[in-house]
Amino acid sequence: MEKDKERLRVLARIQELEENGQFDVDPENDPPSKVILPGTVDYKQKKLSTRIKAKFTFALARKFLHKMIKNKQFIVKDVVGIENLDNLDSGAVLTCNHFSAMDSFATQVVYEKSRQSKKRKLFRVIKEGNYTSFPGFYGKLMRNCNTLPLSSNFQTLQEFLRGASYHLKNGNYVLIYPEQSMWWNYRKPKPLKSGAYTMAVHAHVPVVPIFICMEDSDVMGQDGFPIQMYTIFVLKPIFEDPELSASENKEMMAKKNYEAWKAIYETFYNEKLEYLTK
């Protein structure tokens, strides 16, 4: 099967970005984005209509996911370390490497395998454009499946931060991709931005790093590339150190998160983590 030309373009662009050390730049062309204005998003889910829409949309998403699993378009080979989520007694910031729109489904699989799913909700931080610009079915998921969209509007961004903190302090989970970019099927961990750890320190909750490793399956996708099999690693929570300042804790959490991801990468793929950066 001929490989999709757009996929090949994206892979070439990823290599170029890695060589230039531009790890936080998306290689794909994002759709035009509208600004989310203050009062537009019910970040705290105070409205009954918001909760009803979320429940209905999750039902559609589960049906869609089960169909993908049945057709081997989405393959989770194993989940390792689920006890690291099961043993928590508070809300938490979940961090995950970002390489596909499907990794959101992978974290949902982890969440639903955990005992915590019976008493805690999982919220996802998404880009502004993903919330405002996606049409059809995927747009419905982006707007209604417990998503917390970022915004380029300062006032709306404050609403976002208050909403995220509200959910964390109420014992729920907030998933964020601290690499701040999605590189298709990129297996290495990328440098991490500070936002996830700022949220964790502000709400006084731990960070739970999740790292997804990939292997080629024997199923070929419509793009001419093998469907990836995921092994999902749920790593030990990273807690605040009461002896450190807020800024020191953010730095410590980010460093430990990256080191944990790096260790999994090197063990799973049996190779030293090295970048192409010139």
Side-chain angles (χ1 to χ4, degrees):
M1 183 182 295
E2 185 179 355
K3 292 184 177 179
D4 182 83
K5 291 181 180 179
E6 177 61 17
R7 290 291 197 209
L8 292 172
R9 186 199 68 78
V10 167
L11 290 174
R13 176 64 174 149
I14 288 172
Q15 180 171 332
E16 178 186 349
L17 292 171
E18 183 178 354
E19 288 176 351
N20 293 328
Q22 296 175 286
F23 292 99
D24 57 355
V25 177
D26 281 324
E28 302 184 44
N29 298 320
D30 292 332
S33 175
K34 297 178 182 177
V35 177
I36 302 174
L37 298 176
T40 304
V41 180
D42 182 16
Y43 283 105
K44 295 183 180 180
Q45 288 198 341
K46 293 289 188 179
K47 298 176 183 178
L48 177 61
S49 60
T50 304
R51 299 192 294 273
I52 291 174
K53 285 180 182 177
K55 186 174 182 179
F56 174 74
T57 309
F58 265 114
L60 292 178
R62 286 189 183 92
K63 185 177 180 180
F64 174 74
L65 178 58
H66 291 157
K67 183 178 179 180
M68 291 187 68
I69 293 171
K70 182 180 179 181
N71 294 335
K72 294 187 176 181
Q73 295 171 299
F74 179 82
I75 305 171
V76 174
K77 183 178 178 181
D78 198 9
V79 176
V80 181
I82 196 68
E83 67 278 1
N84 289 318
L85 206 56
D86 285 341
N87 294 336
L88 287 182
D89 58 1
S90 71
V93 171
L94 310 185
T95 62
C96 185
N97 53 321
H98 199 20
F99 54 86
S100 167
M102 295 298 104
D103 53 44
S104 177
F105 287 117
T107 54
Q108 183 70 25
V109 168
V110 169
Y111 163 72
E112 294 189 357
K113 278 183 175 291
S114 169
R115 293 195 301 265
Q116 302 285 7
S117 63
K118 295 180 175 62
K119 57 184 176 180
R120 306 184 195 279
K121 288 184 178 181
L122 172 62
F123 293 87
R124 295 169 180 79
V125 175
I126 64 172
K127 292 197 301 184
E128 185 172 45
N130 288 354
Y131 186 87
T132 61
S133 302
F134 265 92
F137 176 72
Y138 285 105
K140 186 182 290 289
L141 298 187
M142 290 291 182
R143 286 182 287 275
N144 296 297
C145 278
N146 288 356
T147 52
L148 303 174
L150 294 162
S151 177
S152 53
N153 179 283
F154 179 77
Q155 288 178 290
T156 311
L157 184 61
Q158 298 309 302
E159 292 179 0
F160 158 82
L161 292 171
R162 288 192 292 270
S165 184
Y166 172 83
H167 293 303
L168 290 169
K169 290 178 179 179
N170 278 277
N172 296 310
Y173 300 143
V174 173
L175 168 67
I176 187 168
Y177 299 106
E179 296 169 320
Q180 201 175 295
S181 63
M182 187 184 83
W183 287 12
W184 184 72
N185 282 1
Y186 186 76
R187 296 184 174 188
K188 303 173 189 176
K190 302 196 291 289
L192 308 181
K193 301 293 185 178
S194 63
Y197 316 100
T198 299
M199 278 201 259
V201 170
H202 184 263
H204 301 292
V205 296
V207 170
V208 179
I210 296 173
F211 193 75
I212 303 174
C213 294
M214 291 170 271
E215 299 171 272
D216 290 349
S217 74
D218 57 2
V219 182
M220 190 64 66
Q222 293 182 347
D223 57 9
F225 290 87
I227 299 293
Q228 297 298 292
M229 295 187 297
Y230 299 152
T231 299
I232 308 171
F233 292 90
V234 185
L235 307 175
K236 292 182 179 180
I238 303 168
F239 294 91
E240 280 185 282
D241 184 339
E243 299 298 318
L244 299 179
S245 67
S247 60
E248 289 171 334
N249 266 306
K250 286 185 282 186
E251 185 177 345
M252 176 272 291
M253 286 177 147
K255 182 179 179 182
K256 285 190 174 182
N257 189 151
Y258 181 81
E259 288 173 347
W261 282 7
K262 178 175 181 286
I264 291 296
Y265 172 88
E266 294 184 336
T267 300
F268 186 88
Y269 296 112
N270 194 30
E271 66 180 35
K272 184 179 179 182
L273 174 61
E274 293 181 338
Y275 300 109
L276 303 175
T277 309
K278 296 176 181 177

